[in-house]
Amino acid sequence: MIDERELAINPIVPDSVRHNGQVIAQIRSLTASLFGIAAGILGLESYPGFLFYLFGTIIVSGLIWGVLAQGKPERFFESQLSGLWGRDVFGGLSSFVLTWTLFYGLVRS
C-alpha cells in the first residue's frame, strides 16, 4: 500500500492513469488478434487454443510489467492487479476467437 509521503513525492495523476489503461487496452487487443491468427494457422482446436491465448496473455502481461512498467507498476497504475494483470484480458478474448476462427477456416478449407 502506498503511504501519504509516497503520494506527495510521486502523485498519481488520473489523466496519466487513464492514458496508461488505454495503452494497455490497445496492446491487449492487438496481441489477442495476433494470437488468434497464430492459433488459426497452427490449427489449434478447443482447449489447446484457449490455453494458447491464456499463456500468450500471461507472457504479454509479463512483458508489460518488465518493459513498459519497468518492474514498478505501482507507479503507473492505481492497482497492480486490475491495472496490469486483469484489465482487458477477457475483452481481448472476443478478438482472439474471431481471428482464430477466421484463420482456421481460411487455412483448413
Side-chain angles (χ1 to χ4, degrees):
M1 194 72 178
I2 300 174
D3 61 347
E4 188 174 328
R5 181 175 176 267
E6 181 66 27
L7 282 176
I9 295 171
N10 295 317
I12 297 175
V13 181
D15 291 336
S16 297
V17 172
R18 191 176 315 112
H19 172 73
N20 294 341
Q22 290 172 347
V23 169
I24 298 298
Q26 291 173 351
I27 290 171
R28 290 206 187 276
S29 178
L30 176 66
T31 56
S33 295
L34 293 174
F35 290 143
I37 291 169
I41 290 172
L42 292 172
L44 300 177
E45 297 178 353
S46 189
Y47 291 119
F50 287 110
L51 289 175
F52 183 77
Y53 174 73
L54 179 67
F55 290 132
T57 54
I58 289 171
I59 290 170
V60 167
S61 293
L63 287 173
I64 290 170
W65 180 82
V67 176
L68 292 180
Q70 303 159 353
K72 300 173 185 169
E74 62 275 357
R75 292 183 55 208
F76 303 99
F77 304 102
E78 290 182 45
S79 170
Q80 178 179 347
L81 183 63
S82 66
L84 181 60
W85 298 100
R87 176 173 284 190
D88 296 321
V89 170
F90 293 109
L93 187 61
S94 61
S95 298
F96 170 75
V97 170
L98 283 171
T99 54
W100 179 21
T101 55
L102 172 68
F103 278 84
Y104 183 86
L106 289 173
V107 170
R108 300 293 173 212
S109 61

